[in-house]
Every structure is written in structure tokens, then in C-alpha cells.
Amino acid sequence: MPRSPGVPPASLHPGAWWLWSLSLGIAATRTTNPLLLALLVAVSAYVVVSCRRNTPWSRSYAAFLKLALAVLLVRLLFTIVLGSPVPGTHVLVTLPELPLPDWAQGIRLGGRVTAESLVFALYDGLKLATLLVCVGAANALADPHRLLKSLPGALYELGVAVVVALTFAPHLIADVQRLRAARRLRGRPDTGLRGLLQVGLPVLEGALERSVALAAAMDARGYGRTAEVPPAVRRTTSALTLGGLLGVCAGTYGLLTAEGGTYGFPVLLAGLTAALAGLRLGGRRTPRTRYRPDRWTGRSLLVAGSGAAVAAAMFLAGAADPAALHPGVVPLVAPSLPLRPAAAVLLGLLPAFLAPAPKEPSP
């Protein structure tokens, strides 16, 4: 049987890319060490450059990098303008402080800007920026259409909405680049208000046409139609799904905080079990078939496992030596690179050697 031209013979399961990148993001939440965070960003960037294919969604990684940089700058700007609760003695500049009414007590505009507060804001913003970069890596590497095929039947409608939202931005960027290149080839300006209008209107028109065509295709394929199930099954599905998601949220919170380290994993495991049972029951309402479903091959499991290993190693390092993952800011000390966590982060490079080379042209 010939293979589908859009699916490479040895391509990885899209869920493996998401598990790998989200695991790197979880590892980033466990540390504020800028050297480890920079290493996580470098690992994700190397894998993206090595493994991404020439597809519209693969170009979204640069957009996530810019978004992460913007988040970092906004975090620093807020610290400069609104101040920070972090005490400090190294005053860099003193801004004019605006007087505020009594009801705004606790809020400060202007005043002293210390090096300690800026460094704390830099570490905190870099952690969030790294998390965004990891999500961008998954968006650039995983095929959203194949990911949609792999979702359980109960999440099919939600998955369609997410995939449409995730693929809209890359297609929009590609349309803008194509129209600007066409205007430059014709010797017409592509900047300024006039150029923006002459480029933006065709882009919006194309987006509207694409939305109408997508809606027609979804309706023709029976999107939104459900099968009848007994009321008891519906109630059981709702209870299992909601209870499981609450358990997942509580367990994740426990794992991400130092206080919930004892109950986090059991609650997360129980929540996942209940949620999966609920999703399996909920799949009875949306009977459908999959054409050539993606399989979890050994490579896919290794890619997902490499990300999980990085996250697990960061948890263990945080329990063994938390000071190495959280360099102090009061007093200011230069961050050092802990060797064991850094070596664990390098395990995230494994997909660059396991994933097949991107030889296929854009579909």
C-alpha cells in the first residue's frame, strides 16, 4: 500500500513533539537560573532548526521568540515603572515618583530602581519566556492536522477549534509575506499606511474565503453531529471528566510548588486516570474512523521520554540542591551553571538525532 504523500514514512507522532516540548517547559518552571533557562532555549532552538519541515506552521517559531522577548521586556518595564517588593541597595536610577490617592496604597509609580529588583524581574521574565519558546517549538514541529487525527473522539470538536486557531496565524503570516514580495517585484511600496491597506485587505479577504471553505468542508464531513447515548453514560462521562481535570489541575499545582510535593503526583495520577476514562466514555458520542492513524513508534517514545527525563531530572535537582536552580538576588551573586542539571538538559537534544531529516517539500 503506498504511503500518503503528506506523511513521511518515518515521521514522529505529533504527540511526541508536544510531550517533549511541554516537558522542557515544565523543566523551565522549576528554575530561575538564567544559564539553565538559556540552555533550555538553545536546546529547543537546535532541535527546531534540525527537525522542522518546510510547512506554514514551522515558521511560527520566530513569532514565539519575538513574543517571548516582548514578555521579558514588559516584565522589566513593569518593574521599572511600578517598582518591586524585592529590597535592594544598589540604586541604578531614581525616577520621579507620582503621588497617588489613598485608595491606591501599595501601588507606586516611579521611585528607586535597584539592580536587585531588575535582576529578579529578569530571572522571572526569562522563566516565562522560556516556557513560551518551548510551546513555540511544539507548534513548529508537530503537524496540527495529524495531531487532530490522534485526539480522542470526545476531544474532537475542541481539537478542531484549537487546530484552526493555531494554523490561522501561520497562514496569515505566509499570505502577508507573499503579497509583500509580489508588491516589491512590481516596484510598488509595501510599507506605510497605503502599503498596509493594500496588503491587509487582500489578506483579510483570503482569510474570509478560507474560513468559508473550511466551514463548508467541516459541514460536509459531519462536524458537530453526535450519536445518542444513555443519560447514565452522559452523567458518568461528565463526572469523570470534570473530576479528572480538577485532579490534574490540583496535582500539577502540587508538582509545581514546593509545598505540594507529597500529594502532587498521586493526585495527578488519579486525575489522569479519571479523565482518560471520561474521555473514553465520551468518545461514544462522536463515532468516527481514522484514515491511517499515527502509531507510537520506538522513536516517538524516545523523543517523548527525552523530554520527560529532562523534567524529572530538574525535579530531582531542585529537591537535592534548590540553591543551584535559584541563584540569589539579595545580595547579588553571579549565577553558576550546575553541571548535573545542565547535563540533564542536554538530553533534550536527542530528537535532533532520532527524528528523520526534513527532506520533504511543503505539502
Side-chain angles (χ1 to χ4, degrees):
M1 181 180 294
R3 295 179 183 272
S4 171
V7 180
S11 59
L12 299 177
H13 194 287
W17 286 124
W18 274 100
L19 289 177
W20 170 80
S21 60
L22 291 180
S23 298
L24 292 187
I26 291 174
T29 63
R30 304 304 300 176
T31 179
T32 55
N33 190 318
L35 300 179
L36 287 177
L37 293 173
L39 189 59
L40 283 168
V41 173
V43 166
S44 70
Y46 181 81
V47 174
V48 168
V49 172
S50 302
C51 302
R52 71 176 174 180
R53 302 177 186 278
N54 187 16
T55 53
W57 54 85
S58 65
R59 306 185 189 107
S60 62
Y61 187 68
F64 275 91
L65 286 177
K66 295 176 182 176
L67 177 62
L69 181 61
V71 167
L72 184 59
L73 293 178
V74 168
R75 181 69 177 86
L76 291 173
L77 182 63
F78 274 25
T79 300
I80 294 174
V81 176
L82 301 178
S84 172
V86 177
T89 57
H90 298 80
V91 180
L92 298 178
V93 64
T94 302
L95 299 176
E97 188 168 353
L98 298 179
L100 295 177
D102 295 338
W103 55 264
Q105 289 183 356
I107 302 176
R108 179 170 65 86
L109 289 177
R112 297 190 315 160
V113 180
T114 63
E116 288 85 350
S117 62
L118 281 183
V119 171
F120 178 80
L122 175 66
Y123 291 174
D124 197 44
L126 190 58
K127 181 169 66 174
L128 181 56
T130 305
L131 182 59
L132 287 173
V133 170
C134 293
V135 174
N139 199 37
L141 292 170
D143 187 340
H145 303 96
R146 292 174 52 204
L147 183 64
L148 173 62
K149 287 172 54 181
S150 304
L151 286 177
L155 294 178
Y156 179 70
E157 297 176 3
L158 177 63
V160 169
V162 173
V163 168
V164 170
L166 290 177
T167 54
F168 178 77
H171 282 295
L172 201 63
I173 295 173
D175 287 346
V176 171
Q177 292 176 344
R178 179 171 52 81
L179 288 173
R180 291 186 64 186
R183 288 186 64 82
R184 285 196 296 269
L185 288 175
R186 293 169 184 166
R188 297 176 182 175
D190 60 333
T191 58
L193 181 59
R194 185 178 178 184
L196 179 64
L197 290 176
Q198 292 182 350
V199 170
L201 290 178
V203 168
L204 291 178
E205 183 182 358
L208 181 61
E209 292 178 353
R210 191 180 298 120
S211 301
V212 172
L214 177 62
M218 292 167 68
D219 182 69
R221 287 166 173 79
Y223 175 76
R225 298 168 191 168
T226 58
E228 289 294 332
V229 294
V233 174
R234 290 203 301 270
R235 287 194 290 269
T236 306
T237 301
S238 301
L240 286 174
T241 305
L242 291 177
L245 291 179
L246 288 175
V248 169
C249 293
T252 305
Y253 175 79
L255 288 177
L256 295 179
T257 57
E259 293 80 7
T262 55
Y263 69 84
F265 184 73
V267 173
L268 177 62
L269 190 61
L272 280 176
T273 304
L276 290 176
L279 292 178
R280 187 171 182 81
L281 277 179
R284 295 183 181 182
R285 296 183 68 244
T286 55
R288 62 191 181 93
T289 58
R290 291 187 177 92
Y291 179 67
R292 292 175 180 170
D294 287 304
R295 305 293 183 187
W296 281 91
T297 61
R299 286 186 176 185
S300 300
L301 293 175
L302 284 175
V303 168
S306 66
V310 173
M314 202 63 74
F315 272 95
L316 295 176
D321 187 10
L325 301 189
H326 302 281
V329 295
V330 181
L332 280 175
V333 294
S336 59
L337 183 65
L339 295 181
R340 290 183 180 178
V345 171
L346 294 180
L347 289 176
L349 290 172
L350 197 59
F353 306 98
L354 291 176
K359 299 178 181 179
E360 292 76 16
S362 178

